[in-house]
Structure formats: structure tokens, C-alpha cells
Amino acid sequence: MSARILDYMRRYDYKKVVMCNDSNTGLRAVIAIHSTHLGPATGGLRMWPYATDEEAIFDALRLSRGMTYKYAAAGVNLGGGKAVIIGDPKKDKSEALLRAFARFVDQLSGEYITGEDVGTTLADMETLFTETNHVVTLPTHCGGAGDIAPATALGSVMAMKACAKRVWGTDSLRGRTVALQGLGAVGHNALRMLVEEGATVIVTDIDQQKVDTAIAKHGVTAVAPEDIYGQDVDIFAPYALGAVINDETIPQLKAKVVAGAANNILAEERHGDELERCGIVYAVDYVANSGGTIFDTDRLRKGGFQEERAWANVRKIYERTEEVFQLAERNRIPLYAAADRFAEERINSLKSVRLLEPARLPH
Ligand code: NAI
């Protein structure tokens, strides 16, 4: 098994994996550090009942590499990392277990910075913070950014506006029609912003209560979850699940833009090629949904969390999306590949800068 992991690490240029065990608290965790070229490896802590150790290690590896690209493309000077705790968050989580994990993070002296992810909460981050300073996604009373969903929503709307500019020559969403899938933490914030922008929004969710609230608040129309793809709209906006752009859904789409905040929107890369063939402009997911990350990690910058600076950087997702368009055009490659190239170029151009030693006086 270990040979396979090291081969995988070599193939994708990983830095290190730390295996953590604490028999007293029952902690079994993996910290994967993909890259520290742009800054400390940063990424959330996932708690999940993985069936095997190998599954946990590969999940941490895969997710940490994704973070490297996300930060690089978002213009954030952080590297990619991710941690997983093996266990059921509902049954196995305890203060002692979390604090034991935090001690392992602290031993890395800032090489890895942890945060919230599936199976962990803002309150858990506060618990980790009692043992280590290397935590993001903290409540405001701990000096953090608090709820990041509004920032994720704003960033995705900025990406949507950049797509609109490309397709219709104007980034105004006034009068545009949008099919919005998922009214959760990010989706309901995006809905508010889209309505404020003057867009006409059709919504869906599997949770009828959320649909009813959206109708009552914003007077929007709702459709059944399976009918959202085929709506006669300008923009399809995924805010629920991954893999929603696939063989079944692409033929249904009438929209000219796909832009939202869901992670891993394309079921496979070839679906990105298919969108291009259909003339549909796609806001690459990890660029479009990086607003929360940008907002959240502002606390690691000079002077600590500065809300105004954080919002301004979230708005820059508009320019980032345009840069991806330009890179795709220059290199004649699909948008999803252009986003990867954009991130790689940024890492390569900056990694040598970080290697520069301060000038020394001669002896
Ligand atoms: P959430 O869990 O609060 O909301 C998801 C919503 O989608 C829920 O209301 C759920 O009922 C609905 N849903 C689930 N299956 C559905 C279906 N088949 N059809 C219609 N609706 C369905 O999650 P959150 O935080 O709003 O995240 C949404 C997406 O954005 C996820 O893919 C997440 O990975 C991604 N994301 C979220 C970030 C954040 O700041 N919360 C940051 C970056 C990405």
C-alpha cells in the first residue's frame, strides 16, 4: 500500500502526508500537504467514517491537491492541504479527540492550517483553536470571518456576471433569467443577490420548506428538482450537488451560461468539452466558488481580518474568471483546462520568488 501512495505522491508532486494516532482519545487522522509553494498548506478538516485507511489517505491527498489549485486560481497566497479524521462525526466526535488532532496540527508549526469541512463545524474550529493558532473558518469572536456563505455567494455571482459579459456583451443581470438549483447556505444568499440585480429566478430544492421561504421572500417561481435543467433560461446556476453537468442533463440545457457555487460541477472533464461544443460558457467551479475561501483566509494576511479588504478580494473573482477566458482563448483549450493552467502558471511564476534567500553580508 505504501508504495502505491508514494507513487501517487510522486506523480502529482505532493510534499508530505502525516499519519496521526492517539490511542487515548481514539484519534485516527491523516494530514495531506500537497504544496507550500505559495504559502502554508491550508484546507479543511473532514470527519467521515471511511471504510479503509487507504480510502481516507487518498481522499486527503485528492482534496489537498484541489486546494492548491483553488488558492492559486483565486489569487490567495496559500498552498494546498487537507486533513481527515476517520470516524462518524455524530458518534465519534469529542472535545478530547478534536484537541488531540489540534496538537498534531500545532506540531507542524504552521506548515498546515486547518478549517471547517464536511463533518466539522465552526464550533469545532473554536475547540481546535484552544490548542493551535493554525485554524481558519473561525467565529468572529475568535477573530475569524464568521459565516462565509455570503462571500461564496457573492463570488459566484461575480463569476456569473463575467460569463454574462462574455455571452451578451454586458454584465448586467437585469432581465436575465436564472434557474437556481439548491437553496441552502450559499444558494439562498445567491438568490437574494440575483433578485437585487434584477434577474428573474426560477428555483428548486428537495427541501420544500426552503422553497416556500424563497417564494414568500422573493416572489420567485419554483419547479420540481428534476425539471430545473430544462428550463428556458439564460443561466443555469448549480448551488446543490456535484456532477450535475452530465450525459443526461446537457441535452436538456437551454441556458447559455453555467455558473454557480457547487463543487465538482462537471461529472467528467469530457462534459466540459461538451459544454464548449454546445456554445455554453462555464464558470469553472473552483474559481467561481472561491469567495468563501478568500474571505475566510483574510485573517491570515497582514493586520488580521479586515472585512473591507476581504469583500474587495471576493469581487475580484470577476477578473479571475475573465483571465481564465483569455487564457483559454490564447491556448485554444477548454475553460476547465484553462483554470488549471492559470493556477499552475501562478504557482510556477511565484515559487522561485519564495526560494530567494535574503541577501547576506560577506564574512
Ligand atoms: P447546503 O447543504 O447548505 O445547501 C445545499 C442545498 O441543496 C440544500 O438546501 C439541499 O436541500 C439542496 N439539494 C440537495 N440535493 C438537491 C437536489 N437534487 N436538487 C435540488 N436541491 C438539492 O450547502 P451549501 O453550503 O449551500 O453549499 C452548496 C454547494 O456549494 C455545495 O456543492 C458545496 O460543496 C459548494 N460550496 C460551498 C461553500 C460554502 O461556503 N458553503 C464554498 C464552496 C463550495
Side-chain angles (χ1 to χ4, degrees):
M1 181 174 99
S2 63
R4 225 161 70 72
I5 291 167
L6 284 166
D7 284 349
Y8 185 85
M9 289 175 71
R10 175 65 58 85
R11 180 149 24 109
Y12 295 108
D13 207 15
Y14 283 88
K15 187 172 177 185
K16 69 166 84 160
V17 174
V18 182
M19 308 279 280
C20 314
N21 173 62
D22 180 53
S23 307
N24 288 326
T25 58
L27 176 76
R28 283 146 60 83
V30 181
I31 300 171
I33 295 178
H34 176 250
S35 162
T36 52
H37 288 315
L38 294 185
T42 307
L45 166 64
R46 183 165 290 198
M47 185 161 183
W48 194 256
Y50 294 99
T52 64
D53 297 0
E54 197 175 20
E55 207 184 286
I57 295 166
F58 278 108
D59 206 32
L61 283 168
R62 196 175 48 79
L63 293 165
S64 70
R65 183 162 171 263
M67 293 311 294
T68 299
Y69 280 80
K70 188 163 182 157
Y71 287 126
V76 175
N77 287 323
L78 292 171
K82 202 86 183 185
V84 302
I85 293 180
I86 302 172
D88 182 340
K90 290 200 180 81
K91 290 195 300 218
D92 304 326
K93 201 191 281 175
S94 67
E95 183 188 348
L97 178 120
L98 288 172
R99 289 178 67 162
F101 171 76
R103 296 296 279 242
F104 281 99
V105 173
D106 204 58
Q107 281 164 16
L108 290 167
S109 307
E111 190 180 16
Y112 167 67
I113 299 172
T114 199
E116 192 184 349
D117 199 75
V118 176
T120 57
T121 63
L122 214 53
D124 295 337
M125 295 306 114
E126 201 174 341
T127 304
L128 301 182
F129 195 51
T130 57
E131 298 290 344
T132 181
N133 195 30
H134 306 300
V135 188
V136 285
T137 39
L138 281 168
T140 45
H141 63 262
C142 297
D147 180 16
I148 62 166
T152 304
L154 176 66
S156 66
V157 171
M158 296 315 288
M160 200 182 283
K161 285 167 79 69
C163 292
K165 177 91 189 291
R166 187 169 171 82
V167 176
W168 298 291
T170 165
D171 62 21
S172 169
L173 297 176
R174 182 157 297 281
R176 293 271 159 241
T177 47
V178 182
L180 193 154
Q181 180 186 46
L183 294 163
V186 185
H188 90 266
N189 277 293
L191 171 62
R192 175 178 46 79
M193 291 168 193
L194 291 171
V195 169
E196 279 167 13
E197 289 264 343
T200 303
V201 189
I202 298 170
V203 302
T204 196
D205 201 295
I206 50 168
D207 183 337
Q208 189 56 37
Q209 212 172 351
K210 288 179 180 166
V211 173
D212 292 344
T213 306
I215 294 172
K217 256 194 179 163
H218 303 290
V220 289
T221 316
V223 295
E226 62 277 14
D227 294 334
I228 197 73
Y229 305 101
Q231 293 299 310
D232 192 4
V233 291
D234 298 317
I235 300 165
F236 172 64
Y239 284 89
L241 317 161
V244 288
I245 297 299
N246 56 45
D247 291 335
E248 279 77 52
T249 59
I250 293 176
Q252 299 178 47
L253 292 178
K254 298 193 178 79
K256 284 277 159 256
V257 167
V258 171
N263 269 316
N264 306 318
I265 289 176
L266 305 176
E268 293 171 43
E269 285 190 345
R270 67 184 172 85
H271 296 113
D273 301 325
E274 190 55 28
L275 287 181
E276 304 251 333
R277 267 194 293 279
C278 298
I280 298 172
V281 174
Y282 162 57
V284 178
D285 44 12
Y286 68 79
V287 179
N289 70 22
S290 61
T293 289
I294 293 172
F295 197 70
D296 182 27
T297 56
D298 188 81
R299 111 175 183 84
L300 304 172
R301 302 184 62 178
K302 280 199 188 90
F305 181 64
Q306 291 174 26
E307 191 167 349
E308 218 169 295
R309 173 180 67 188
W311 283 118
N313 283 324
V314 171
R315 287 200 177 81
K316 284 189 190 151
I317 289 176
Y318 183 99
E319 283 93 48
R320 296 267 131 70
T321 307
E322 288 198 314
E323 283 173 276
V324 172
F325 293 153
Q326 285 151 14
L327 204 144
E329 242 163 52
R330 261 200 321 278
N331 296 282
R332 294 199 171 82
I333 53 176
L335 291 167
Y336 68 84
D340 285 359
R341 185 84 63 89
F342 179 70
E344 283 156 7
E345 282 182 4
R346 186 152 183 274
I347 293 165
N348 288 333
S349 69
L350 290 175
K351 73 179 175 192
S352 58
V353 175
R354 287 177 53 90
L355 293 175
L356 290 176
E357 294 270 342
R360 284 179 211 286
L361 288 172
H363 293 294

